[in-house]
Amino acid sequence: MSKTEKQSTPQAVRLDKWLWAARFFKTRSLCKDAIEGGKVSYNGSKGKASRNVEIGALIGIRAGWDEKVVKIKAISEQRRGAPEAQLLYEETPESIEKREKRVLENKSYGGRIMSDHKPNKKERRDIKQLKQDIFGGME
């Protein structure tokens, strides 16, 4: 088997290593922490860092207010530049639509979430209600 054949067909690649190579996280330890913390799902179920990824699998990634669902198009274990990393996955249309809707909701709320003071009782209730409306009681 030649060297070029080995590079074109990577063997099994772990989920944490693929997320790192696709540039979703800066380090593999951050990938592992996110996976163990329940921020990453693999084909709709809880992800495991040691799980081998497959082309066509759906990965859900939640980071702060942002949630993405991406489909694996290619497998790589090497971290490269951002343009090459974006070729490894494709975000689903439903995910794009959902994120755009959430951005509009946040803008329509008037940006009152971020403030220069500690929220009072009414503001805490409003923030809690907004989170419940957006995430549907996931927290």
Side-chain angles (χ1 to χ4, degrees), residues 35-52:
I35 293 167
E36 289 175 355
K39 307 274 191 241
V40 177
S41 64
Y42 185 84
N43 282 338
S45 62
K46 187 177 183 220
K48 290 181 80 174
S50 61
R51 182 179 184 98
N52 292 330

Side-chain angles (χ1 to χ4, degrees), residues 16-135:
D16 61 341
K17 197 166 193 175
W18 186 88
L19 288 169
W20 170 75
R23 302 184 76 88
F24 285 107
F25 299 95
K26 281 189 170 189
T27 65
R28 282 186 59 195
S29 64
L30 289 175
C31 294
K32 186 175 183 234
D33 292 343
I35 293 167
E36 289 175 355
K39 307 274 191 241
V40 177
S41 64
Y42 185 84
N43 282 338
S45 62
K46 187 177 183 220
K48 290 181 80 174
S50 61
R51 182 179 184 98
N52 292 330
V53 295
E54 301 166 345
I55 293 176
L58 293 176
I59 297 178
I61 304 162
R62 194 173 67 206
W65 294 89
D66 198 23
E67 186 172 350
K68 290 182 183 181
V69 177
V70 297
K71 183 177 183 180
I72 298 177
K73 289 174 35 178
I75 296 174
S76 175
E77 61 182 12
Q78 291 183 335
R79 188 174 171 100
R80 299 189 187 264
E84 290 181 48
Q86 289 175 346
L87 299 174
L88 297 178
Y89 62 90
E90 176 182 25
E91 189 172 3
T92 62
E94 298 85 15
S95 174
I96 294 170
E97 182 181 321
K98 195 174 181 181
R99 282 191 313 114
E100 289 173 352
K101 182 181 173 190
R102 188 171 297 132
V103 166
L104 289 174
E105 285 176 355
N106 287 345
K107 283 183 180 178
S108 68
Y109 189 69
R112 288 177 272 182
I113 293 176
M114 299 304 255
S115 179
D116 59 344
H117 65 279
K118 184 176 176 182
N120 61 28
K121 191 171 184 176
K122 183 186 181 322
E123 291 169 336
R124 283 194 305 271
R125 277 194 231 114
D126 290 343
I127 291 169
K128 186 175 180 180
Q129 183 63 45
L130 176 67
K131 284 183 178 180
Q132 191 169 15
D133 290 345
I134 291 173
F135 295 114

